[in-house]
Amino acid sequence: MSRPATAAVRLLTGEREPVRLATTADILLHGLQAIDGVPAEIGDRVLVKDQADPTQNGIYTASAGDWFRAADARTTRTLQKGTTVHTQIGPVNADRVFEFTADEPAVGADAITIAASVPPDIADVVEEVEALRDETQALKDAAETSAGQASASAAASAANAGQTTADRAATNSDAVAAAAAVVSAQAARDASLYGKGIFPTTGAAIGFGIVGNGPISAGSGGAMATWPLSLPGATVGGAAGRFVGAGGALTQILITAPGSYTVAPTLSFAASAGLAGAAAVAVMGRNVDVGEYFWTEVSAGLLGLFRVDAGPVATDIGVRSSTASIVTNVDALSRIEGLAVTTIKLTEGTGSVAPTCFRTYTFSTGVVVEHVVTARASERRLLQLLSNGPAVYTANFDLSDGTCTGTGPALTSFSMIALGGGEYECRAVVTPTANGAANVQTRFSPAGVFPFTGDGASGVYVRNIVLRLPSTTTNLFPSSDPTNAVFTKTNCTAAAATVPEVRVCRSCRRWSTSSMCWSMAG
């Protein structure tokens, strides 16, 4: 069952999200037009690679007006040498992979060069894996921390051995995204592992799982929300998923893990109280097809890479990776991929509120500090970092659009870094104008206006709050955890929460946890 590359895969391989079309000649970056013989549509991702002015090359979003660079391809880091992108359609460029070849180009100033990419030879990849293994062992002897990082790097390369660029990356990164479940309880882990490139047994890998659903009977009487999908009376198991209701009816089914079954299971929508008449049939397919690869545990704490050969049979190709070395990367990769992860939610109070989480800090004149918050939109999407007294600044961050603004005499700069899955690192760089103590505040709102009327349930996800010196990682606060008592919470509470899975709206490219994105919701 072929799987497209995920966001986590793109982190490991330097691959951008696929483009629909790629140019064959210089074009005007304005208006809808034919690209490679195919009419471009509004919202299409287009690889522009043949401009007479090579500084204009890159990945763009087509528009009836001026085209704009895609959100994941606007910076030097995202267009650096070795970055690849797959083209979906077009008589000349369909299914071709292109590679950015300029070394750290300044977007808009330096030439951005793009060439057809050729996948590396299998033997070369294997040699690279062996070299990385040797390096890993040497680093283990030197320092345990470095060993873990090197081993994770070796594991990422090992999964690449013997596969085509797209398929080998899908197997590897999906395995990384699920590897944490290997060390958890058996019953809980199976549902997490299936369909992510890692399976409890070889039999489960070459068996059949849920790959989708048939036509939906919408039913009526439900609510607009997302619920876990249940599979009563299933033979074997391991599948997981969610279903979405809107306007009282079933609108969408999301299979997040296919499981392994001898008989197609029943899809149940009982979690939505009042929903009646909703139905759909599970569509089955082989979990790993002939020619594809998967991971499974070969001994405690050790993963083995297998290939599915004709039969089908699972063939051990001899590649191994320490589970422990992969686990350290799972949380970050899950965030990038938009998977459900554990974090912290700040929830507003009721009535007139200005929900704020803050800590007092003593500033020194001219000593630059960075106020950094890692956050993701929930019901509220506008985050504000601010202080007063010796360091007057206000930085505003839209966690849906990925845009920011700022004011104040102490504010040197402000920025947002997309971490993937709708999560951002929001940063305000501050140069205090006087000595003294002040509250370093993190607050949120629906429209950037304080106070507002809180509903007691809405809020924003905040993974951590940090105050640090530039170019350092040491937190000047005693803790970065918003739930910790070192932070004072006014008009809000902080508690552990699970961020739901998110997807990107094809139209506006924004992250959303529901079938309706922010722009559609108004």
Side-chain angles (χ1 to χ4, degrees):
M1 178 170 56
S2 179
R3 298 181 180 85
T6 60
V9 172
R10 294 191 288 274
L11 173 74
L12 292 171
T13 64
E15 184 182 358
R16 297 276 71 81
E17 183 179 348
V19 294
R20 183 168 183 259
L21 297 162
T23 61
T24 57
D26 182 87
I27 66 167
L28 181 67
L29 297 172
H30 180 93
L32 299 180
Q33 55 197 287
I35 304 295
D36 192 8
V38 179
E41 300 176 4
I42 293 176
D44 278 350
R45 287 169 59 86
V46 178
L47 177 64
V48 176
K49 60 181 178 63
D50 304 287
Q51 294 300 96
D53 178 0
T55 64
Q56 295 179 346
N57 286 337
I59 300 174
Y60 286 79
T61 300
S63 170
D66 289 337
W67 289 23
F68 53 91
R69 291 186 183 272
D72 65 340
R74 295 177 179 174
T75 65
T76 295
R77 181 176 63 85
T78 56
L79 296 178
Q80 62 186 332
K81 185 176 182 179
T83 298
T84 60
V85 63
H86 178 266
T87 307
Q88 295 174 325
I89 64 173
V92 175
N93 291 320
D95 294 323
R96 297 185 70 188
V97 176
F98 292 92
E99 180 177 353
F100 289 80
T101 59
D103 189 16
E104 298 186 351
V107 178
D110 293 342
I112 298 174
T113 51
I114 304 167
S117 175
V118 179
D121 183 80
I122 293 174
D124 293 338
V125 175
V126 172
E127 288 176 2
E128 182 183 359
V129 170
E130 292 173 347
L132 285 168
R133 282 177 175 170
D134 293 341
E135 180 184 353
T136 298
Q137 187 58 52
L139 288 171
K140 283 183 177 179
D141 294 338
E144 186 63 25
T145 300
S146 296
Q149 296 171 346
S151 180
S153 175
S157 294
N160 291 343
Q163 295 173 268
T164 63
T165 299
D167 286 343
R168 70 164 181 265
T171 299
N172 175 60
S173 185
D174 288 344
V176 172
V182 175
V183 295
S184 66
Q186 179 71 42
R189 81 178 188 173
D190 283 359
S192 300
L193 299 179
Y194 280 107
K196 297 178 180 178
I198 185 168
F199 293 84
T201 65
T202 56
I206 62 178
F208 289 86
I210 306 174
V211 297
N213 58 272
I216 292 176
S217 296
S220 62
M224 180 174 176
T226 300
W227 298 272
L229 186 68
S230 59
L231 302 142
T235 303
V236 191
R242 291 179 171 80
F243 67 96
V244 180
L250 172 64
T251 59
Q252 188 177 18
I253 300 171
L254 307 171
I255 302 299
T256 57
S260 181
Y261 297 89
T262 57
V263 178
T266 300
L267 304 182
S268 172
F269 311 102
S272 175
L275 180 60
V281 175
V283 174
M284 309 300 289
R286 193 173 299 281
N287 282 328
V288 186
D289 283 331
V290 171
E292 293 187 336
Y293 291 70
F294 68 91
W295 291 97
T296 191
E297 266 192 315
V298 293
S299 62
L302 189 66
L303 297 175
L305 188 64
F306 287 72
R307 181 183 62 244
V308 178
D309 292 330
V313 295
T315 301
D316 187 346
I317 67 169
V319 175
R320 298 290 185 266
S321 175
S322 166
T323 303
S325 68
I326 294 178
V327 168
T328 57
N329 295 282
V330 171
D331 188 54
L333 291 172
S334 295
R335 296 201 307 273
I336 291 166
E337 196 166 354
L339 300 177
V341 293
T342 301
T343 185
I344 296 162
K345 185 176 182 181
L346 297 182
T347 303
E348 67 198 38
T350 57
S352 180
V353 297
T356 307
C357 181
F358 69 89
R359 167 81 180 176
T360 301
Y361 178 75
T362 301
F363 293 97
S364 298
T365 304
V367 177
V368 179
V369 294
E370 296 180 346
H371 183 183
V372 183
V373 176
T374 304
R376 184 190 305 203
S378 183
E379 299 85 4
R380 306 306 185 203
R381 61 173 178 157
L382 300 180
L383 189 76
Q384 190 176 80
L385 312 185
L386 71 155
S387 189
N388 47 39
V392 177
Y393 66 92
T394 301
N396 304 290
F397 302 89
D398 189 319
L399 298 174
S400 176
D401 284 344
T403 57
C404 52
T405 60
T407 59
L411 187 61
T412 303
S413 65
F414 50 89
S415 62
M416 295 179 77
I417 299 175
L419 302 178
E423 190 169 64
Y424 292 90
E425 180 184 270
C426 305
R427 180 186 308 175
V429 180
V430 180
T431 304
T433 56
N435 296 327
N439 293 333
V440 179
Q441 305 175 53
T442 301
R443 62 182 185 176
F444 61 91
S445 69
V449 177
F450 299 91
F452 62 91
T453 301
D455 60 16
S458 298
V460 66
Y461 295 111
V462 175
R463 181 172 295 277
N464 51 51
I465 300 175
V466 172
L467 192 70
R468 67 192 184 198
L469 298 176
S471 302
T472 69
T473 57
T474 302
N475 190 7
L476 300 176
F477 291 151
S479 173
S480 63
D481 182 353
T483 65
N484 194 291
V486 302
F487 290 102
T488 300
K489 275 75 73 175
T490 60
N491 301 145
C492 69
T493 59
T498 298
V499 180
E501 294 183 25
V502 294
R503 298 174 297 281
V504 178
C505 172
R506 174 175 168 79
S507 174
C508 71
R509 311 308 303 168
R510 292 171 175 169
W511 290 94
S512 174
T513 57
S514 70
S515 58
M516 181 181 294
C517 74
W518 283 104
S519 61
M520 293 170 64

